[in-house]
Amino acid sequence: MPQDSGAEDSRLGFLQNPERWFRMMKERNTCLHVYDENEANELVVLIRNRFLPAFTQLETTLQENNQRSH
């Protein structure tokens, strides 16, 4: 997701916290080279506690927008 796209999605109300989405992209790029078990465990916690709720919120927002458009 390019930063311009994230800013536009935020302006349109799709993303509640675009900085979180940019961090997800950064972590995705760096996690490809995580070989240490402690770092991997930290990444799991980050995904579960920070990133998964962002996807849940996006799903809710998209469903609400879809219902309004019908």
Side-chain angles (χ1 to χ4, degrees), residues 18-58:
E19 294 80 22
R20 183 178 293 169
W21 290 88
F22 296 134
R23 178 150 186 218
M24 279 191 263
M25 287 180 49
K26 180 182 175 193
E27 292 296 334
R28 182 203 62 192
N29 293 335
T30 59
C31 77
L32 297 173
H33 305 288
V34 172
Y35 305 105
D36 178 73
E37 185 175 357
N38 291 330
E39 287 182 49
N41 289 333
E42 289 176 16
L43 186 58
V44 168
V45 170
L46 184 64
I47 292 168
R48 183 180 55 223
N49 295 342
R50 304 266 317 197
F51 300 160
L52 186 57
F55 279 101
T56 302
Q57 177 63 46
L58 176 60

Side-chain angles (χ1 to χ4, degrees), residues 1-19 21-22 58 61 65 68:
M1 173 178 66
Q3 285 192 357
D4 290 345
S5 174
E8 180 69 9
D9 291 339
S10 177
R11 186 184 68 74
L12 294 173
F14 294 131
L15 300 181
Q16 303 300 319
N17 185 343
E19 294 80 22
W21 290 88
F22 296 134
L58 176 60
T61 300
N65 285 345
R68 279 188 239 137

